[in-house]
Amino acid sequence: MANKIRVATTSLAGCFGCHMSFLDLDERLVALAEHVEFDRSPITDIEHCSNCDIGLIEGGVCNSENVHTLREFRKNCKILVAVGACAINGGLPAMRNFIPLEECLSEAYLDGIGVENPQIPSDIELPLLLDKVRPIHEVVKIDYYLPGCPPSADVFWKFLTDLLEGREPELDYELVHFD
Amino acid sequence: MKPFIQDLAAQHGHQATHLLAMLRAVQARFHYIPEQAIGQLAGLLSIPRTQIIGVAEFYSFFHLQPRGQYELLVSDSVTDHMLGKHQLMGYLAEKLKVTVGGVRGDGMVSLDNTSCTGLCDQGPAGLVNGRALTRLDVTKIDLIAGLIDQQKPLEQWPAELFQVADNIYQPGLLLGQPIAYGSALEATFKRGLQETLAEITQSGLRGRGGAGYTTGWKWHLCYEGPEEDAFCDIDAQKKPQRYVICNADEGEPGTFKDRVLLNRYADQVFEGMTVCASIIGAEQGFLYLRGEYLFLYDKLQTVLQQRRDAGLLGTNILGQGFDFDIEICLGAGAYICGEESALIESLEGKMGIPRNRPPYPVTQGYLGKPTVVNNVETFLAAAAIAVHGGGWFSGIGTEKSKGTKILSISGDCARPGIYEYPFGTTIQTILDGCGADDVLGVQIGGPSGTFISNQEFHRKLAFEDLATGGSFIIFNNSRNILDIVNNFTHFFAHESCGFCTPCRVGTSLLKKQLDKIVEGHGSAGDVVALEELCRLVKNHSHCGLGQTAANPIITTLERYPELYQAQLKKISYEPGFDLDAALETARRMANRNDAAAHLAQVGEDHE
Amino acid sequence: MSKTITLDGKTIPFEDGQTIMQAATAAGVYIPHLCHHPEFTPHGSCKLCTVKVNGRNCSACTFPAAEGQDVLNNTQELTDDRKKITQMLFVEGNHFCPSCEKSGNCQLQAVAYHLNMLDDHFPLFYPHREMDASHPDVLIDHNRCIFCTLCVRASREHDGKDVFAISGRGINKHLIVNSESGQLKDTDLDMHDKAAHICPTGAILIKRTGYQVPIGQRIYDHHEIDEVSLLTEQHHGE
């Protein structure tokens, strides 16, 4: 157990598609489990990061909670990895960047079709939205990037095995995809 | 509008090459370029409307949306800032009840910034409907605001507002002894054209715009240029066509010598152009005058007419059977047009985008014909050399930099203005001459040049040491270097033509990255990232603008690395944007202001 | 004896009037490029094809080959710089590949793959840009335009029209079309025009042809752009 590397994962403004793709490792997950144990992750339900070797971040930064989560990961992970299009360039959620936030919120909560009891949610428990969705490298320092929407299971495999075997991670041509 | 445009196009012979002049007229008349005018001109000039829109959107002085009846622009040069421009702009906006960049509700007045107007020795400077305003202060602004409220036509504004001084403090070889009217042409014809070219070459004169190409060699190449390129396709007589262009688009912030040369020595400049034309065999010349110098236009036209009347211009000049005339073309607010191939594009009625080279203008320039493009000062010197001979000029200066250099000195000194010094003069001598003390550093050659510190004043004015097109901006110890660099870096991002990726995107990225550091959001890796960006923009840009756009950062980073380091936070990374401000809209709409509704710029216990 | 230049240490022939790009392509050497297309006047704006000619950076697509040139193309330094220039193109526009029909067939993306670009490196600009879906057969998505002017040149040089132009200055550059309304539907563009098919990115797309080839089975999903480019462009000179 002592030799296992600790991996934490999370999804910020993402769709969990990258996590699903990770699970596509299928039987390779068993092999991986011999070397890896999971810390904070939707897979484990651990709520907060402890010291980890690798943090995998899916999704961009769209609200204040994302910022706190991202910082927690940066603080606790030796290597922080941006996983997937949204973490790398904001992706689909960032397509709201072209509409002023005021309009987005008004449409959703005040004057959109079918809105009843129009009001902007105002609960201290709710994270506030940033005016723009940002890629994670604009908020904390990122060490590696795994592009793709989602990155294929092979990408995760290649990346993690490279790291486990002490090689500088490298993605071959067929593994680099932005879609 | 229709008859106005029709007349305008007719006045310009329906020539698309005159597009800038026509759009200047439209902008002056309607205070914007109306959609209707675009369609009509496209038809009358037989060009796609996209070319007109392209030009209208490229040059700062054209607008597709209405500007004020009184369009006020304030020069954003660093020297204007040093003279209190920022406060004045605020006062102006308040007094005129208009926002910077906006038009007042009644459409009467608009206000905005503009790049250096070439009046750095008498700033803060500005433009009202293209006319230069000097030494702006609160009193003058009150006066201007009153005139605008009374809707007084510009012709009735007091002349003192438009007073432009020459401020020549140190005349030398050229400024001290202007040539006699027509003497350069007489000497040229007497000596012989080839012999005069030999004198120009022997003088060692190099281009005074800054790049320093040997003038005699440039003229020789144009004269020698492939004949097939020179022939006009439609001319049955197969007359070779060559052109002489005088580059008076002095847009480098801090440069204003050409303004003074054209105001005081225009005859000699035109004579230099005519000498060049006689040697290379050109019949047509152009003076490309930056739009900011509109106030010189009428005077220069008069000078040209007098020269025609005196037989020094036009047909059969001095009875030698040589025909040559000069046309003045005004720019419309684009620094890039100082680059010779962009200038030629502009003269052809297009956006000022530098061409791919080779071919160079000497073989394929204006309308594809061999063309000499020289700076105002180069033609001034060439005329004097034609009179006095090459030896007279080459006896002064250094080995690789012959003659003198005319400097535009501005910034922190007692006597900002025009100075002429032999090449090889030390910076210290120049500083002493204009009454500068407590100097922190000098920006030599403008933003695209070099910032030198007060440890380097022994260095010399020369192509082999400190080359300059003439800009010489002095900063005393009260100035903040990062503010200066910031002003210059924003200038380049604003003036990038956008043709090539490294400059179009790179100058904007440089601006962002520098802002990040200056505003205190930088961390350890940010200076390294800045340096990397500088290298990319410098090494990969298409033309001189991009290749020098990083110079303000590069030259100060070399000399004052500690200044940049001092801005950095001792953390591994900080966002380049204001995180808490990014929550403002949501906070306001959710009516929250609790602790969780805010974000610190960096994490609590960052590394 | 034909004239030669040295390209990455290898001697290759050229003919008078050829650019370095043309000589390299004929010799089977790929130089990354986006704004260059062998059928049209070279433009020299994307700067991806920057090579070192006798120690000096030049655009291979516009710079004439000349006897004795020592040209460096495939060096680590140039590859790194080309990657950064590609990243610049990505951050100045809005390139969301997962939602773009051109993904897999896109040359911008393919060059990025070729250069092993994994991230955007620079801060993103997220410019506000519009779409023009007015034309019955052709769509413009300005978010993806990289100002290569291939559509401008194709329209002028091949189609004999002047449908497109690049307007504006600096970072505000943008594609405009030749109609009074400013809309594509009012231009004389026909869906069979070369200009409608030349875009290296997904900025100009033909309507109702989307996703006929599934993602994952497209050109650059399995073939690198150097191979594809040489295959298509080498034939051009013949």
Side-chain angles (χ1 to χ4, degrees), chain C residues 82-99:
Chain C
R82 285 169 181 158
K83 192 202 287 192
K84 297 265 159 52
I85 291 168
T86 309
Q87 286 165 325
M88 286 182 176
L89 288 170
F90 269 84
V91 299
E92 75 162 330
N94 298 305
H95 298 279
F96 297 114
C97 300
S99 58

Side-chain angles (χ1 to χ4, degrees), chain B residues 222-430:
Chain B
C222 187
Y223 161 78
E224 282 268 284
E227 276 303 307
E228 63 268 27
D229 289 341
F231 285 105
C232 186
D233 308 327
I234 46 164
D235 196 331
Q237 295 177 338
K238 283 268 175 191
K239 237 176 157 184
Q241 301 247 317
R242 291 189 167 82
Y243 296 95
V244 176
I245 297 173
C246 177
N247 182 348
D249 191 55
E250 76 175 337
E252 188 71 41
T255 320
F256 47 87
K257 62 171 178 77
D258 294 344
R259 160 175 58 80
V260 176
L261 296 182
L262 289 171
N263 190 43
R264 188 78 75 90
Y265 302 85
D267 261 302
Q268 188 169 333
V269 174
F270 290 140
E271 190 138 339
M273 290 175 71
T274 315
V275 168
C276 173
S278 69
I279 291 172
I280 66 166
E283 289 189 353
Q284 178 66 53
F286 298 97
L287 174 75
Y288 188 92
L289 185 66
R290 70 184 305 222
E292 289 81 350
Y293 293 168
L294 174 66
F295 62 93
L296 289 171
Y297 184 80
D298 290 341
K299 185 174 178 179
L300 291 170
Q301 289 290 13
T302 309
V303 173
L304 287 177
Q305 192 50 48
Q306 285 166 351
R307 294 184 68 79
R308 285 184 200 109
D309 296 343
L312 297 172
L313 205 60
T315 48
N316 196 18
I317 291 170
L318 289 177
Q320 298 284 330
F322 158 54
D323 302 342
F324 176 67
D325 212 327
I326 297 172
E327 187 180 322
I328 304 175
C329 297
L330 280 158
Y335 168 73
I336 188 62
C337 290
E339 197 280 343
E340 59 177 7
S341 66
L343 183 152
I344 290 171
E345 288 282 304
S346 184
L347 272 180
E348 293 181 0
K350 303 179 202 155
M351 299 187 278
I353 293 175
R355 294 176 177 175
N356 283 298
R357 299 183 301 174
Y360 292 89
V362 283
T363 56
Q364 286 180 43
Y366 182 68
L367 302 178
K369 305 296 172 197
T371 303
V372 161
V373 185
N374 274 138
N375 181 261
V376 175
E377 186 184 342
T378 312
F379 284 122
L380 179 91
I385 293 163
V387 173
H388 303 294
W392 167 80
F393 193 77
S394 64
I396 289 179
T398 70
E399 193 197 336
K400 288 178 180 157
S401 315
K402 301 300 184 193
T404 59
K405 183 74 194 88
I406 300 172
L407 298 175
S408 321
I409 297 187
S410 63
D412 296 315
C413 66
R415 292 173 298 280
I418 301 296
Y419 294 75
E420 184 181 3
Y421 281 105
F423 272 117
T425 305
T426 64
I427 302 306
Q428 188 61 57
T429 308
I430 297 168

Side-chain angles (χ1 to χ4, degrees), chain C residues 4-161:
Chain C
T4 60
I5 60 172
T6 312
L7 185 58
D8 288 331
K10 201 175 104 189
T11 303
I12 65 162
F14 75 94
E15 287 160 27
D16 279 332
Q18 271 189 328
T19 59
I20 291 174
M21 177 72 81
Q22 287 168 328
T25 306
V29 178
Y30 170 72
I31 301 176
H33 57 270
L34 283 169
C35 73
H36 170 73
H37 189 290
E39 285 174 47
F40 306 112
T41 312
H43 196 237
S45 66
C46 76
K47 298 299 171 196
L48 274 178
C49 72
T50 301
V51 289
K52 260 200 166 45
V53 181
N54 299 336
R56 196 180 130 215
N57 283 344
C58 298
S59 300
C61 72
T62 58
F63 206 77
E67 188 74 55
Q69 281 170 344
D70 183 19
V71 182
L72 295 179
N73 167 44
N74 194 11
T75 68
Q76 193 56 49
E77 187 193 341
L78 283 171
T79 302
D80 288 348
D81 287 359
R82 285 169 181 158
K83 192 202 287 192
K84 297 265 159 52
I85 291 168
T86 309
Q87 286 165 325
M88 286 182 176
L89 288 170
F90 269 84
V91 299
E92 75 162 330
N94 298 305
H95 298 279
F96 297 114
C97 300
S99 58
C100 177
E101 205 300 304
K102 199 64 177 275
S103 194
N105 291 328
C106 168
Q107 291 175 31
L108 175 65
Q109 191 187 54
V111 162
Y113 291 174
H114 176 74
L115 297 167
N116 203 246
M117 176 187 135
L118 304 181
D119 69 318
D120 289 319
H121 187 71
F122 301 114
L124 282 92
F125 288 39
Y126 295 122
H128 187 81
R129 296 196 193 156
E130 302 290 340
M131 300 229 295
D132 179 348
S134 63
H135 194 280
D137 303 310
V138 183
L139 170 89
I140 305 181
D141 187 338
H142 290 282
N143 290 293
R144 304 163 184 165
C145 180
I146 57 168
F147 319 113
C148 67
T149 74
L150 275 173
C151 59
V152 179
R153 285 175 280 161
S155 183
R156 185 178 306 145
E157 297 173 20
H158 182 274
D159 305 332
K161 303 177 182 180

Side-chain angles (χ1 to χ4, degrees), chain B residues 1-15 22-23 25-26 29-30 36-45:
Chain B
M1 184 184 299
K2 221 169 170 187
F4 176 84
I5 303 287
Q6 257 162 5
D7 289 351
L8 185 65
Q11 275 167 38
H12 288 278
H14 299 96
Q15 302 227 15
M22 288 181 249
L23 291 183
V26 174
R29 171 73 177 75
F30 302 104
Q36 201 191 333
I38 294 171
Q40 209 186 331
L41 274 176
L44 288 165
L45 307 179

